């Protein structure tokens, strides 16, 4: 389906939330357009192995991405490669600008995700998935009895450092200042833990290793002195950025840029739903994204039924009024 048609739903972003939503909407016979500007799969495509998605004891991220995409396409989802630039609320329909071209839909599901901030240092990209990780819940279990470092001093860094002690023999938090940003309760938990150590006033300048991480090069922020610190895992927790530039003008995000939804994945705008990591939420995982996606799909289905009924009634009233003259 292309050109001037109005889709029942356009889904922005083919991560696990968007692809699950597509499985549900397409299977419910809703005309579905799924738009993605890079590889379908989102952050999954950058995950070496996934061991916490039920039904798969071990699956490679790119393989699960392909499975989900094929699943949604099987039920008739149309996939478009392009960048969603803007989503507009043009009642009765929504307009989705993809690479400058307007597509129309009765409903929209936002599933654009969030991006972990990178240190942008040598070795980070090359060793991502080979000791460098941005997700302790996903990858922590690979570091049983091994020494890892966590970079950052916020809630996520400290919380995940504590989580990593379940597996690692030693967790060293490297922070650029001499005090943590994290909540006091999390700080106390980390300070009290026998497996956790801190390196203060240091930045990580390079991740070392040939094929696998073997250490980090760190630099004292005051003296400038550099040294190498051995480890086999580097967990980077220096914040996340939601990918919401396409909805900036809609006023549906909070002060950190995350989309605000109710329990049915409804935003404050009728017919616009949102699912997955782009939402303000507690746990950002594949399994929570797929759950959100299914709920958003069901909400979109109810909305489209309601809209069609409303438009039909308005049309009948108009025809009736015209006939009365
Ligand atoms: P965050 O609060 O922004 O903290 C980022 C940390 O990374 C800060 O300590 C910061 O250092 C450091 N950092 C930033 N850029 C860096 C760089 N280039 N090099 C080295 N260090 C760098 O991010 P977050 O911890 O991901 O948390 C995000 C939001 O989620 C926060 O609102 C947080 O409260 C919330 N959250 C809550 C919980 C919870 O309540 N249990 C758990 C996780 C996250 P400085 O301190 O020096 O700026």
């Amino acid at each position: 389906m292309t050109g001037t048609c109005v889709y029942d739903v356009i889904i922005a972003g083919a991560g696990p939330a968007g692809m699950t939503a597509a499985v549900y909407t397409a299977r419910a016979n809703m005309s579905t357009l799924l738009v993605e500007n890079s590889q379908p799969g989102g952050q999954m495509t950058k995950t070496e192995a996934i061991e916490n998605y039920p039904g798969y004891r071990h699956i490679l991220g790119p393989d699960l991405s392909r499975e989900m995409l094929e699943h949604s396409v099987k039920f008739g989802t149309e996939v478009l490669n392009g960048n969603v630039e803007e989503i507009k609320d043009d009642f009765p329909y929504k307009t989705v600008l993809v690479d400058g071209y307007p597509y129309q839909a009765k409903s929209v599901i936002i599933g654009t995700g969030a991006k972990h901030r990178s240190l942008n240092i040598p070795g980070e990209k090359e060793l991502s998935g080979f000791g460098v990780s941005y997700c302790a819940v996903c990858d922590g279990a690979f570091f049983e009895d091994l020494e890892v470092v966590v970079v950052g001093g916020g809630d996520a860094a400290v919380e995940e450092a504590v989580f990593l002690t379940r597996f690692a023999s030693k967790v060293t938090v490297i922070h650029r200042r001499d005090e943590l940003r994290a909540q006091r309760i999390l700080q106390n938990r980390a300070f009290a833990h026998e497996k956790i150590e801190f390196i203060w006033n240091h930045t990580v300048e390079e991740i070392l290793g040939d094929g696998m991480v073997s250490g980090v090069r760190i630099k004292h922020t005051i003296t400038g002195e550099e040294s190498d610190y051995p480890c086999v895992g580097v967990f980077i927790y220096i914040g996340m950025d939601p990918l919401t530039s396409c909805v900036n003008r809609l006023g549906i995000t909070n002060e950190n840029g995350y989309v605000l939804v109710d329990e049915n994945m409804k935003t404050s705008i009728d017919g616009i739903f949102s699912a997955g990591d782009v939402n303000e939420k507690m746990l950002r995982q594949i399994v929570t994204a797929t759950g959100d996606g299914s709920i958003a799909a069901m909400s979109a289905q109810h909305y489209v039924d309601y809209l069609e009924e409303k438009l039909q009634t308005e049309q009948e009233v108009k025809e009736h009024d015209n006939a009365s003259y």
Side-chain angles (χ1 to χ4, degrees):
M1 213 176 293
T2 51
T4 54
C5 78
V6 178
Y7 289 91
D8 287 326
V9 60
I10 294 179
I11 301 168
M19 291 195 286
T20 303
V23 168
Y24 276 73
T25 55
R27 192 162 175 269
N29 278 335
M30 294 171 76
S31 56
T32 301
L33 180 69
L34 177 64
V35 190
E36 171 60 51
N37 66 354
S38 65
Q39 289 259 102
Q43 291 177 61
M44 286 195 297
T45 58
K46 299 189 187 89
T47 305
E48 170 66 0
I50 294 160
E51 292 185 337
N52 58 359
Y53 188 66
Y56 292 93
R57 272 163 285 180
H58 182 102
I59 186 165
L60 300 178
D63 288 351
L64 185 56
S65 305
R66 200 172 43 250
E67 292 270 357
M68 285 191 188
L69 184 68
E70 284 171 7
H71 195 167
S72 65
V73 169
K74 172 186 150 81
F75 291 116
T77 296
E78 190 183 327
V79 181
L80 174 68
N81 190 266
N83 185 37
V84 175
E85 291 162 344
E86 193 170 0
I87 296 168
K88 293 191 220 171
D89 182 26
D90 297 331
F91 190 82
Y93 302 133
K94 316 296 172 197
T95 303
V96 178
L97 263 188
V98 182
D99 294 329
Y101 188 88
Y103 290 79
Q104 283 203 306
K106 294 169 191 160
S107 66
V108 167
I109 297 173
I110 304 158
T112 42
K115 196 173 180 289
H116 289 279
R117 285 189 201 140
S118 305
L119 286 164
N120 293 319
I121 54 172
E124 184 179 11
K125 212 182 243 172
E126 300 85 322
L127 293 167
S128 181
F130 299 95
V132 174
S133 171
Y134 302 85
C135 180
V137 175
C138 318
D139 299 329
F142 298 119
F143 295 88
E144 192 79 46
D145 289 327
L146 297 170
E147 296 193 5
V148 302
V149 304
V150 171
V151 187
D155 285 340
V158 175
E159 196 166 72
E160 302 308 324
V162 173
F163 176 78
L164 284 165
T165 60
R166 292 167 188 238
F167 315 102
S169 54
K170 183 170 141 192
V171 180
T172 305
V173 178
I174 303 175
H175 184 37
R176 63 183 177 184
R177 293 188 294 131
D178 64 356
E179 61 175 353
L180 297 171
R181 179 181 292 279
Q183 301 163 50
R184 184 62 62 186
I185 187 170
L186 297 176
Q187 294 194 25
N188 291 344
R189 217 171 277 164
F191 290 147
H193 206 292
E194 57 184 9
K195 282 190 182 176
I196 299 181
E197 288 184 7
F198 288 85
I199 296 180
W200 304 106
N201 294 317
H202 277 79
T203 52
V204 176
E205 298 293 306
E206 184 176 348
I207 297 172
L208 310 168
D210 186 9
M212 295 295 284
V213 168
S214 61
V216 286
R217 180 153 301 150
I218 56 175
K219 185 177 173 183
H220 198 287
T221 52
I222 300 160
T223 64
E225 193 182 326
E226 288 197 349
S227 55
D228 291 351
Y229 188 81
C231 62
V232 293
V234 180
F235 286 83
I236 299 168
Y237 277 106
I238 59 167
M240 281 184 81
D241 294 314
L243 299 169
T244 47
S245 58
C246 60
V247 295
N248 273 350
R249 292 196 202 173
L250 292 178
I252 56 174
T253 54
N254 67 7
E255 66 281 9
N256 296 320
Y258 290 97
V259 179
L260 293 169
V261 291
D262 68 9
E263 72 273 20
N264 295 321
M265 304 301 138
K266 292 181 183 177
T267 69
S268 55
I269 299 178
D270 284 347
I272 299 186
F273 308 89
S274 185
D277 283 7
V278 74
N279 287 357
E280 176 63 37
K281 64 194 298 196
M282 200 267 278
L283 183 64
R284 294 191 168 82
Q285 292 284 290
I286 300 169
V287 75
T288 57
T290 56
D292 287 357
S294 63
I295 296 168
M298 198 52 77
S299 294
Q301 203 179 315
H302 290 158
Y303 174 78
V304 169
D305 288 347
Y306 153 81
L307 182 71
E308 283 173 350
E309 210 168 287
K310 182 179 156 93
L311 295 177
Q312 175 74 26
T313 309
E314 279 175 9
Q315 182 63 24
E316 280 168 12
V317 169
K318 214 184 267 174
E319 280 169 11
H320 176 266
D321 289 350
N322 287 344
S324 308
Y325 281 112

